Amino acid sequence: GAVVSQHPSWVICKSGTSVKIECRSLDFQATTMFWYRQFPKQSLMLMATSNEGSKATYEQGVEKDKFLINHASLTLSTLTVTSAHPEDSSFYICSVTGPRKGDEQFFGPGTRLTVL
Amino acid sequence: GENVEQHPSTLSVQEGDSAVIKCTYSDSASNYFPWYKQELGKGPQLIIDIRSNVGEKKDQRIAVTLNKTAKHFSLHITETQPEDSAVYFCAALQGAQKLVFGQGTRLTINP
């Protein structure tokens, strides 16, 4: 499968600041990348889907102006949490997939965000 | 849209015994069903998947079965080992690319 990295692996920030999380596909041309959020002891919730060179598609209830997604290349997507608040504290995970319907999704190691 | 239900939420088995986790889905159009293993503080790892044109798939100690008529699929782990302890998630593909996940099962293997 694909090798996916995320940076940073964890971050602590003050309320009101912005945080950028990177997702890189190291050995796979990821036409589509996904961003998920996972609260403690809960399942993964899809936040948005991004295709290289296009605007991201956000799931219902996810604020596009708060969670900025950029998918500038086939190997890099970034998620910026703007004006972070304590309720944004969560485990953020990206995944990558190829162009075919039903292609496997490969997940990154996740980024733990803590907002004080 | 797709809805995936997963049971049980927790499962504890003795080392060497088998573990079974079950999922049901709602959208009959779904045709791809992966299973992921997630260890504490890590991202999910794909362990096995099945497509709707087959009823069973096996990979060493892990197997997945699919019943399209009943819209349910199951993960079977045989000869369980302590390193199998983790949270397992089932998922179903909705549309072309969106995965809908079950609630997860925390599996504990007792030595």
Side-chain angles (χ1 to χ4, degrees):
Chain A
V3 179
V4 183
S5 70
Q6 284 184 237
H7 179 79
S9 56
W10 60 270
V11 57
I12 300 173
C13 69
K14 293 183 178 180
S15 185
T17 61
S18 294
V19 174
K20 179 183 284 188
I21 302 170
E22 288 187 354
C23 174
R24 292 184 183 272
S25 178
L26 302 182
D27 61 351
F28 183 81
Q29 300 290 291
T31 54
T32 304
M33 290 185 170
F34 305 86
W35 286 96
Y36 293 82
R37 182 167 49 184
Q38 185 179 34
F39 292 108
K41 297 187 178 182
Q42 292 190 22
S43 189
L44 288 80
M45 296 301 296
L46 181 65
M47 299 175 66
T49 302
S50 75
N51 294 295
E52 184 258 341
S54 303
K55 287 186 178 181
T57 302
Y58 289 81
E59 293 298 301
Q60 191 173 7
V62 179
E63 301 173 57
K64 62 179 68 176
D65 294 330
K66 181 171 183 62
F67 299 98
L68 303 179
I69 292 172
N70 183 280
H71 189 165
S73 75
L74 288 172
T75 59
L76 174 64
S77 177
T78 60
L79 168 68
T80 301
V81 183
T82 63
S83 187
H85 291 285
E87 57 265 30
D88 298 322
S89 298
S90 188
F91 195 50
Y92 291 87
I93 315 170
C94 71
S95 71
V96 307
T97 192
R100 297 174 306 176
K101 181 179 184 295
D103 272 347
E104 297 91 337
Q105 279 192 31
F106 300 99
F107 285 79
T111 296
R112 173 76 58 196
L113 170 62
T114 302
V115 185
L116 302 177
Chain B
E2 178 69 278
N3 183 51
V4 178
E5 297 287 332
Q6 182 173 347
H7 298 281
S9 56
T10 61
L11 179 61
S12 182
V13 301
Q14 288 297 121
E15 182 178 354
D17 289 349
S18 296
V20 180
I21 303 171
K22 298 181 179 181
C23 289
T24 60
Y25 61 99
S26 60
D27 188 351
S28 57
S30 294
N31 61 6
Y32 175 65
F33 307 92
W35 284 89
Y36 290 89
K37 175 183 181 181
Q38 187 178 29
E39 298 178 338
L40 189 63
K42 298 184 179 180
Q45 178 187 8
L46 179 68
I47 56 172
I48 196 167
D49 57 13
I50 192 167
R51 299 183 189 271
S52 58
N53 57 346
V54 298
E56 183 174 1
K57 184 176 179 180
K58 191 173 183 179
D59 183 4
Q60 299 183 333
R61 297 185 298 108
I62 296 174
V64 56
T65 59
L66 171 65
N67 184 325
K68 286 178 59 180
T69 303
K71 289 190 283 189
H72 67 70
F73 55 112
S74 301
L75 177 71
H76 303 252
I77 305 175
T78 59
E79 301 173 24
T80 53
Q81 302 167 3
E83 53 265 37
D84 294 329
S85 294
V87 179
Y88 291 81
F89 291 98
C90 64
L93 184 69
Q94 176 182 301
Q97 293 178 318
K98 180 180 178 180
L99 284 180
V100 179
F101 284 83
Q103 297 85 349
T105 296
R106 182 172 299 278
L107 175 63
T108 302
I109 307 301
N110 301 308

